[in-house]
């Protein structure tokens, strides 16, 4: 059974770069897409983007100018960077497996990221 | 594509049958999922393609609809069902979620 685990700093200063990593275990990364989803406190879920095993990416246009998702297949990891963060980037960040249709069938436990000086 | 869920919150009792509605701003055929999120936890996929129950999910949960109007029905509520429920469309990118329906105990 696949497991996903987010890691990274829980506190980032405004204008700096947020960097998170998701480690995948229990299954191959092939044949799926790998996504980042965030949830501001008390609000709904927002897809940030996804990456395929081969490295093809697709980003939410609302964040595209500030976001990069990369994959390290040798270590079964994929990563998220968000540049020039502001307070509105505060929230829970989840990594998730996309079955390639767009349904997220496995999720990490989430990581709370706070943007504050 | 905007998804609007109703109601935003709902109080019910153990054993009740409840229905949550999700309306899309345009035709999304049957490209809709439902998720359950318990406090402090990640969402869990319950239903995909509007009505396909995921493996291991209780048959108390059922989904229906197509086009712009969809429903999630939970028959005979159990204590573990009190959570927030989200719909999600995958007909067009970016995939989007509804604002959520919080189901709590009356």
């Amino acid at each position: 059974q696949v497991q996903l685990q987010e890691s990274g700093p829980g506190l980032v200063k405004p204008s700096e770069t947020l960097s998170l990593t998701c480690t995948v275990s229990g299954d191959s990364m092939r044949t799926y897409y790998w996504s980042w989803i965030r949830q501001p406190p008390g609000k709904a879920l927002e897809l940030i983007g996804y990456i395929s095993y081969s490295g093809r990416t697709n980003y939410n246009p609302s964040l595209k100018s500030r976001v990069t998702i990369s994959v390290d297949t040798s270590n079964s990891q994929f990563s998220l960077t968000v540049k020039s963060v502001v307070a509105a980037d505060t929230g829970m960040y989840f990594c998730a497996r996309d079955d390639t249709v767009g349904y997220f069938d496995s999720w990490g436990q989430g990581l709370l990221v706070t943007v504050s000086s | 594509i905007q998804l609007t869920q109703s109601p935003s919150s709902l109080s019910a009792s153990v054993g009740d049958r409840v229905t949550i509605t999700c309306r899309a701003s345009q035709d999304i055929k049957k490209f809709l999922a439902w998720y359950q999120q318990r406090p402090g936890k990640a969402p869990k996929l319950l239903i995909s393609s509007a009505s396909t129950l995921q493996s291991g999910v209780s048959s108390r949960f059922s989904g229906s609809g197509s086009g712009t109007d969809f429903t999630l029905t939970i028959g005979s509520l159990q204590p573990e069902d009190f959570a927030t429920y989200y719909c999600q469309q995958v007909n067009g990118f970016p995939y989007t979620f509804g604002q959520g329906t919080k189901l709590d105990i009356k």
Side-chain angles (χ1 to χ4, degrees):
Chain A
Q1 182 177 353
V2 67
Q3 292 187 314
L4 295 86
Q5 179 68 59
E6 304 88 350
S7 59
L11 181 64
V12 183
K13 291 182 168 57
S15 79
E16 294 190 346
T17 297
L18 179 163
S19 296
L20 301 177
T21 296
C22 182
T23 301
V24 180
S25 60
D27 198 0
S28 170
M29 293 187 73
R30 292 181 188 272
T31 74
Y32 294 100
Y33 294 161
W34 303 93
S35 300
W36 288 98
I37 297 158
R38 70 179 185 177
Q39 185 173 36
K43 295 190 177 180
L45 300 154
E46 178 184 36
L47 173 65
I48 298 170
Y50 68 75
I51 191 165
S52 70
Y53 182 83
S54 63
R56 184 176 74 87
T57 56
N58 203 357
Y59 301 127
N60 190 324
S62 69
L63 293 161
K64 187 173 184 176
S65 64
R66 298 193 294 132
V67 166
T68 301
I69 299 175
S70 59
V71 65
D72 177 1
T73 56
S74 61
N75 287 307
S76 295
Q77 294 178 327
F78 62 106
S79 299
L80 168 72
T81 60
V82 182
K83 300 183 300 186
S84 305
V85 296
V86 296
D89 292 313
T90 292
M92 287 294 289
Y93 283 73
F94 296 97
C95 59
R97 187 176 78 175
D98 172 346
D99 65 357
T100 75
V101 176
Y103 301 123
F104 303 112
D105 61 3
S106 295
W107 295 66
Q109 65 185 24
L111 186 67
L112 178 62
V113 176
T114 302
V115 178
S116 175
S117 55
Chain B
I1 298 172
Q2 308 273 7
L3 297 177
T4 303
Q5 290 182 231
S6 60
S8 296
S9 63
L10 176 60
S11 293
S13 301
V14 173
D16 284 352
R17 176 184 176 92
V18 299
T19 297
I20 298 169
T21 297
C22 179
R23 175 162 287 176
S25 60
Q26 63 188 72
D27 184 353
I28 59 170
K29 306 173 186 66
K30 301 193 78 172
F31 292 110
L32 187 104
W34 290 98
Y35 296 83
Q36 176 194 67
Q37 187 177 31
R38 297 190 176 109
K41 300 294 186 183
K44 174 186 176 182
L45 179 63
L46 301 175
I47 288 170
S48 62
S49 301
S51 59
T52 301
L53 197 66
Q54 296 302 291
S55 175
V57 174
S58 171
S59 58
R60 296 194 302 278
F61 294 91
S62 63
S64 65
S66 64
T68 59
D69 293 310
F70 301 85
T71 60
L72 171 70
T73 299
I74 313 172
S76 190
L77 279 171
Q78 298 302 298
E80 61 269 26
D81 299 336
F82 292 95
T84 299
Y85 293 85
Y86 293 94
C87 57
Q88 177 217 2
Q89 66 80 24
V90 300
N91 185 68
F93 193 86
Y95 311 136
T96 49
F97 295 85
Q99 84 279 13
T101 295
K102 185 176 182 181
L103 175 58
D104 59 24
I105 300 175
K106 186 183 292 184

